[in-house]
């Protein structure tokens, strides 16, 4: 719990804001198979895959190099959102989820 509070405080004061991404896929164009990664996947699992890490680095610059990364890497992006003090928006998660869904 202490680590979560520290991560929240760091994200709040770091000024970190996710980058904008391409428009999310519509259901008609979404892949038929389940996505390899989602916003519910632990961050460290996404980072372990080079393509997944590239998506995070492109859409959330500084996340994987953040000084508190070790404190929140076991969390999903969705779990991290409430502690971001509004820096990770619902729209940002939707766009990131669409980008993660493209990882093969």
């Amino acid at each position: 719990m202490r680590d979560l509070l520290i991560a929240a405080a760091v994200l709040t004061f770091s000024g970190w804001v996710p980058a904008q991404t391409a428009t999310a896929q519509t259901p008609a164009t979404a892949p038929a198979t389940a996505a390899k990664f989602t916003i519910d996947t632990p961050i460290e699992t996404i980072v372990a895959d080079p393509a997944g890490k590239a998506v995070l680095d492109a859409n959330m610059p500084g996340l994987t190099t953040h000084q508190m990364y070790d404190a929140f890497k076991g969390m999903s992006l969705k779990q991290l959102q409430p502690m971001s003090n509004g820096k990770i928006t619902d729209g940002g998660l939707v766009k990131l989820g669409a980008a993660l869904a493209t990882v093969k």
Side-chain angles (χ1 to χ4, degrees):
M1 184 61 155
R2 183 181 133 270
D3 289 340
L4 295 178
L5 293 174
I6 292 169
V10 169
L11 288 173
T12 299
F13 296 110
S14 69
W16 171 66
V17 179
Q20 295 297 322
T21 61
T23 305
Q25 293 178 332
T26 61
T29 62
T33 59
K36 184 174 184 177
F37 301 121
T38 70
I39 60 171
D40 293 310
T41 305
I43 296 167
E44 65 187 332
T45 302
I46 298 169
V47 171
D49 182 287
K53 183 178 184 305
V55 168
L56 285 182
D57 288 342
N59 292 284
M60 300 181 107
L63 178 72
T64 62
T65 58
H66 195 280
Q67 66 185 22
M68 293 302 297
Y69 175 76
D70 285 337
F72 61 78
K73 70 182 181 181
M75 299 171 64
S76 70
L77 295 163
K78 192 171 184 178
Q79 290 172 320
L80 190 59
Q81 182 189 23
M83 293 177 264
S84 73
N85 200 29
K87 304 269 192 282
I88 302 174
T89 64
D90 289 340
L93 282 180
V94 169
K95 291 176 184 180
L96 187 52
L100 287 170
T102 67
V103 176
K104 303 288 184 213

